[in-house]
Amino acid sequence: MELKHMALTGMLLMSAPVTAPAVAQAQKFITVASTTSTENSGLFKHLLPIFEKKTGIAVRVIAQGTGQALDTARRGDADVVFVHAKEAEEKFIGEGHGVKRFPVMYNDFVLVGPKSDPAKIGGGKDIAKALKKVRSAAAPFVSRGDKSGTHMAELRLWKVAGIDIGGADKGPWYRAVGQGMGASLNTASSMNGYILTDRATWISFKNRGDLAVLVEGDQRLFNQYGVILVNPEKHKHVKRDLGQAFVDWIVSAEGQKAVASYRIGSDRLFFPNANDKGA
Amino acid sequence: MLPLVLDQVSFTVNGKTIIDRISIEIGTGPRTVILGPNGAGKSVLMRLCHGLLRPTSGSIVWRGENGGRRRQAMVFQRPVMLRRSARANVVYGMKLAGVPPRERELRASDVLDAVGLADVAERPARVLSGGEQQRLALARAWALGPEVLFLDEPTANLDPAATRDVETLVGQIRASGTKIVMTTHNLGQAKRLGDEILFLTQGRLVERTPVERFFTKPASVEADAFIRGELPWS
Amino acid sequence: MIEIGQAFGAAATLIAARDPELVGIVLLSLRVSLTAVVFASILGLPLGAAIAVGRFPGRRALIVVLNSLMGLPPVVVGLLVYLLLSRAGPLGQFGMLFTPAAMVVAQTILILPIVAALSRQAIEDAWQEYREQLRSLGAGPLTAAATLLWDTRFSLVTIVLAGFGRAAAEVGAVIIVGGNIDGVTRVMTTAIALETSKGDLPLAMGLGILLLSLVLALNAAAYWVKEAAQRRYG
């Protein structure tokens, strides 16, 4: 009787219907470890239905920083990685975790900052010069600090500018927040700091406050995305055929056209360049 | 299973002696009332007999047949009612005692009838009045058909009318063949319900005397003082 | 302050629109957290009762550990479950990472200590009151535990709801083990985190208000049922 009562209480307590979670859907799917910029900008919402309609393969996107996305794949928890840090991607392949890297598209980074612009960098095109000015003004600068693609690009640009951001030039003006792009932008917006962001996230970002784009158009700000099938020989669960189908499609003429056609308002966010083998 | 034999039973808590070397045999027959001033160890002695406490030294043995402690029951000063109907409270006790399901229901109806709670049998036990709850506690104990029933100050929290009901019921339970062992503060009640008195002070059994003689000619000085001290408030 | 006003507007718009995507997110939230609370209750309530009633070596230490685990950081639980369920982990072969099942596992671990520790407390309080009566009726530890679980049911409802509130409100664990996959593992809290990262603070806050309203509605319903039942059963 007690047990019956207990069971009964249990059910009363959960007055809402409780069903076992849908663990595996019958549908074919792959898991893609990608970056917040591609997810947050809405690109995947545009691309994936087209791909799914054509192939019947659903794509589950885990949006993380590039470093974390590659780590997820290193553990065998994704079938495909779709990220933007060429060096890290090549290292990933060198370790044997990925099969082959294909360039897919690029967008660009922009340096945004407060309209008051204490470092006086607005309107310039030279990113190295702009960063030097930020450094000498010791104006607040927010860094992702999370090993993401954007963070790695930022570190590369400091180096180009001849600034030792990890050492001598580090200071309280340089704030590494260890967060995603959006959270970092929120921080920059609230403290009126400078920040490097990919354009896609910037365009779809709503909490801009007093921030505006100050430096753009420098070749060195290009942000190249690559796609890699996780190596099925290293990770047995990887869905080789389904994953390869996604890689093949995104670099195909049709996939490239789909990338090119994504816009927010009149802004085009990503530029396909799968044919540029050096990208 | 009676008689119950206590041999040199002591009970200490943190070095304080509550029960001090009591030896006694409690048999069928007379209704036994344990009397004594506050802190004499009356309730503890009863709990030792019932098996809720283990003696620190000495032994407590049921000498009769099937010497277990199943065929005994106890009613407390504050009965604990389970959060279910009055009837379910009675049935619960019988279920733990291993009474077959069909018989539980029959006996439950009988005892609830006998204690005058048939009308409220399906009401939640915890919303009954104090007097009703104590009668329900008696019914729950009675339904077990105990050979011995221990009652620890069963009317201490009740008004006179409810006290009378309980005393009447104790008489009926006794008439059905159950040995009664009780503690009380109420000397009038001790006279009405007791056949023999066990008198305790400071954990020691001072005397064991038939009830009339206890109140007229107690054997010990302590009992004499107790009766004279207590009588005006009884 | 304008933004908070906008948030209520956004919440109203969300509810009015009944966007199927949002409905899916809400339903998944409820499904995951309710399933977790069911599992945590099935394990945690008997565990709490066992610790309340049982006497075994290490009991005090276990209580302290359990009480501390109530403050488990969700992100730590998330990480633990992630490492267990990852393909490179010991349970990787089941492919559970980034599924609702993984989220249920994480939330169950997160709230199990809450349900067990709080129910232990409630049941132990009741045990103080019931102990002598139940032992007198012959209840062993198992029976006593089961009886107490049933008799403290009204308090346990509140405890289970506290567990549900914690599960429904946490983001740290589910975002790690679920991956916040659109249409598969996106729940209300991860959606809020996502909208925050997109800088759409009013929408994020609107989702937050919606989440809070759901938890509030559930608690209000449970409170009302509990009060009504308590009045009835005393």
Side-chain angles (χ1 to χ4, degrees):
Chain A
M1 188 174 97
E2 303 303 333
L3 277 176
K4 191 187 75 191
H5 277 149
M6 276 164 55
L8 207 73
T9 334
M11 285 177 193
L12 282 174
L13 299 177
M14 324 306 153
S15 46
V18 175
T19 47
V23 175
Q25 292 161 344
Q27 198 193 12
K28 293 188 287 182
F29 71 89
I30 56 169
T31 305
V32 175
S34 188
T35 68
T36 45
S37 53
T38 36
E39 167 84 350
N40 288 10
S41 63
L43 176 68
F44 279 126
K45 266 210 158 69
H46 170 76
L47 288 183
L48 301 183
I50 304 174
F51 173 68
E52 187 175 345
K53 199 170 162 200
K54 184 180 160 78
T55 61
I57 303 169
V59 178
R60 298 183 175 179
V61 177
I62 320 286
Q64 302 169 324
T66 291
Q68 201 190 348
L70 288 171
D71 279 341
T72 299
R74 276 194 184 95
R75 302 184 60 88
D77 293 321
D79 304 304
V80 172
V81 283
F82 188 1
V83 294
H84 62 109
K86 193 173 173 183
E87 263 178 54
E89 291 160 47
E90 281 167 350
K91 181 163 170 254
F92 177 79
I93 291 182
E95 293 162 355
H97 290 291
V99 177
K100 185 171 189 301
R101 173 182 176 275
F102 297 89
V104 178
M105 63 191 187
Y106 68 90
N107 68 349
D108 60 345
F109 293 112
V110 292
L111 188 62
V112 304
K115 288 173 189 143
S116 60
D117 194 13
K120 305 272 177 280
I121 59 172
K125 209 177 161 184
D126 186 335
I127 184 66
K129 220 161 118 190
L131 287 177
K132 273 184 203 143
K133 283 186 185 169
V134 170
R135 165 68 189 92
S136 20
F141 185 96
V142 175
S143 166
R144 292 276 296 272
D146 64 349
K147 288 193 180 170
S148 59
T150 306
H151 182 221
M152 291 186 233
E154 180 212 308
L155 294 178
R156 185 166 47 77
L157 291 169
W158 285 114
K159 213 171 179 179
V160 167
I163 290 165
D164 181 13
I165 201 63
D169 291 308
K170 206 171 162 184
W173 59 277
Y174 183 78
R175 320 236 163 116
V177 294
Q179 303 237 46
M181 195 69 252
S184 303
L185 277 169
N186 278 327
T187 307
S189 163
S190 63
M191 66 165 61
N192 265 331
Y194 293 93
I195 183 169
L196 186 76
T197 171
D198 64 285
R199 189 186 293 273
T201 304
W202 172 252
I203 287 173
S204 53
F205 186 73
K206 298 199 169 133
N207 183 34
R208 293 181 186 179
D210 203 34
L211 301 184
V213 172
L214 298 174
V215 178
E216 61 185 324
D218 191 321
Q219 282 282 333
R220 291 171 290 192
L221 287 171
F222 277 15
N223 178 26
Q224 179 64 42
Y225 287 81
V227 69
I228 304 169
L229 177 70
V230 178
N231 191 353
E233 282 166 22
K234 191 131 184 164
H235 302 287
K236 303 241 175 319
H237 330 270
V238 166
K239 295 169 183 165
R240 177 202 300 259
D241 297 338
L242 302 184
Q244 191 62 51
F246 178 75
V247 172
D248 290 346
W249 179 79
I250 194 102
V251 300
S252 72
E254 191 191 336
Q256 294 279 293
K257 211 177 106 199
V259 169
S261 68
Y262 180 59
R263 283 180 169 76
I264 293 182
S266 59
D267 293 312
R268 191 169 156 185
L269 272 69
F270 295 97
F271 301 85
N273 66 344
N275 294 327
D276 179 358
K277 296 302 174 202
Chain B
M1 58 192 217
L2 286 171
L4 176 63
V5 181
L6 280 69
D7 184 26
Q8 291 291 311
V9 170
S10 292
F11 185 76
T12 52
V13 177
N14 300 331
K16 189 167 179 266
T17 302
I18 312 287
I19 295 294
D20 189 6
R21 288 162 292 161
I22 289 182
S23 296
I24 195 176
E25 179 172 325
I26 297 172
T28 44
R31 294 167 297 181
T32 304
V33 171
I34 305 174
L35 277 182
N38 279 337
K42 305 186 293 286
S43 290
V44 171
L45 179 61
M46 192 169 275
R47 280 166 173 74
L48 284 164
C49 291
H50 186 45
L52 290 177
L53 298 175
R54 284 187 193 287
T56 313
S57 64
S59 70
I60 300 177
V61 183
W62 297 89
R63 278 282 164 75
E65 291 163 39
N66 62 52
R69 52 176 293 273
R70 295 301 344 199
R71 296 207 46 213
Q72 46 163 330
M74 182 154 172
V75 168
F76 298 86
Q77 181 174 346
R78 274 174 208 280
V80 174
M81 289 301 145
L82 303 179
R83 255 189 200 92
R84 53 190 86 189
S85 72
R87 175 190 299 278
N89 266 277
V90 176
V91 169
Y92 178 88
M94 286 189 278
K95 189 184 163 208
L96 292 195
V99 177
R102 186 165 302 177
E103 187 167 352
R104 285 179 220 158
E105 295 301 327
L106 290 174
R107 272 206 235 168
S109 298
D110 284 352
V111 292
L112 285 167
D113 224 11
V115 303
L117 293 176
D119 291 346
V120 296
E122 306 310 326
R123 300 252 312 267
R126 290 199 165 222
V127 303
L128 299 179
S129 73
E132 287 172 327
Q133 289 197 14
Q134 195 58 293
R135 278 190 279 149
L136 180 55
L138 283 166
R140 186 165 60 188
W142 197 2
L144 303 175
E147 198 176 335
V148 195
L149 175 60
F150 295 100
L151 299 142
D152 186 15
E153 304 270 5
T155 61
N157 295 328
L158 302 181
D159 62 33
T163 299
R164 214 158 39 239
D165 289 344
V166 167
E167 286 184 6
T168 310
L169 282 173
V170 171
Q172 288 175 22
I173 294 173
R174 144 88 169 165
S176 73
T178 298
K179 158 86 182 182
I180 303 289
V181 180
M182 70 183 287
T183 65
T184 180
H185 259 87
N186 181 331
L187 296 189
Q189 186 170 64
K191 274 185 194 163
R192 286 192 295 278
L193 294 183
D195 295 315
E196 63 168 358
I197 304 290
L198 299 185
F199 184 70
L200 257 60
T201 56
Q202 296 177 335
R204 284 180 301 113
L205 179 63
V206 179
E207 65 172 300
R208 178 182 198 174
T209 318
V211 68
E212 297 84 16
R213 184 135 50 89
F214 181 82
F215 285 106
T216 52
K217 262 197 281 170
S220 61
V221 192
E222 294 93 331
D224 190 48
F226 175 73
I227 295 161
R228 274 188 281 133
E230 292 282 325
L231 268 176
W233 294 280
S234 68
Chain C
M1 292 318 283
I2 297 166
E3 280 167 342
I4 291 176
Q6 284 174 334
F8 280 97
T13 315
L14 284 173
I15 294 165
R18 287 203 207 94
D19 172 33
E21 203 180 315
L22 178 66
V23 170
I25 289 174
V26 170
L27 289 181
L28 183 64
S29 280
L30 290 175
R31 213 173 66 191
V32 166
S33 295
L34 285 172
T35 310
V37 100
V38 168
F39 285 141
S41 301
I42 289 172
L43 298 171
L45 296 178
L47 180 64
I51 299 172
V53 171
R55 287 291 174 272
F56 49 88
R59 179 176 176 273
R60 279 155 191 266
L62 184 61
I63 290 172
V64 171
V65 168
L66 216 49
N67 286 346
S68 320
L69 288 181
M70 285 200 286
L72 259 182
V75 61
V76 173
V77 175
L79 204 54
L80 175 75
V81 175
Y82 177 85
L83 293 175
L84 287 175
L85 298 184
S86 166
R87 290 290 187 186
L91 304 175
Q93 69 209 54
F94 303 110
M96 273 171 71
L97 193 64
F98 304 140
T99 65
M103 300 157 81
V104 168
V105 171
Q107 291 196 340
T108 302
I109 293 174
L110 186 69
I111 60 177
L112 178 62
I114 296 179
V115 173
L118 294 180
S119 63
R120 196 277 306 166
Q121 185 66 57
I123 291 167
E124 197 166 315
D125 290 347
W127 181 226
Q128 296 306 325
E129 182 192 348
Y130 283 52
R131 187 197 325 246
E132 284 200 322
Q133 182 73 66
L134 292 186
R135 287 188 53 207
S136 167
L137 290 171
L142 269 181
T143 311
T147 302
L148 289 164
L149 275 172
W150 178 243
D151 263 56
T152 52
R153 57 196 181 272
F154 304 126
S155 318
L156 298 185
V157 170
T158 311
I159 289 165
V160 167
L161 279 174
F164 173 75
R166 166 94 159 151
E170 73 86 23
V171 62
V174 285
I175 206 161
I176 294 178
V177 302
N180 193 24
I181 301 170
D182 192 11
V184 182
T185 57
R186 183 161 299 166
V187 289
M188 300 208 66
T189 53
T190 59
I192 292 169
L194 179 66
E195 292 310 327
T196 306
S197 79
K198 286 188 191 172
D200 198 340
L201 304 187
L203 181 55
M205 192 68 201
L207 283 165
I209 292 168
L210 188 58
L211 173 63
L212 206 62
S213 315
L214 279 171
V215 174
L216 190 70
L218 198 77
N219 270 284
Y223 185 79
W224 180 77
V225 168
K226 177 190 152 171
E227 285 291 295
Q230 205 155 18
R231 264 198 304 280
R232 190 163 142 53
Y233 289 100

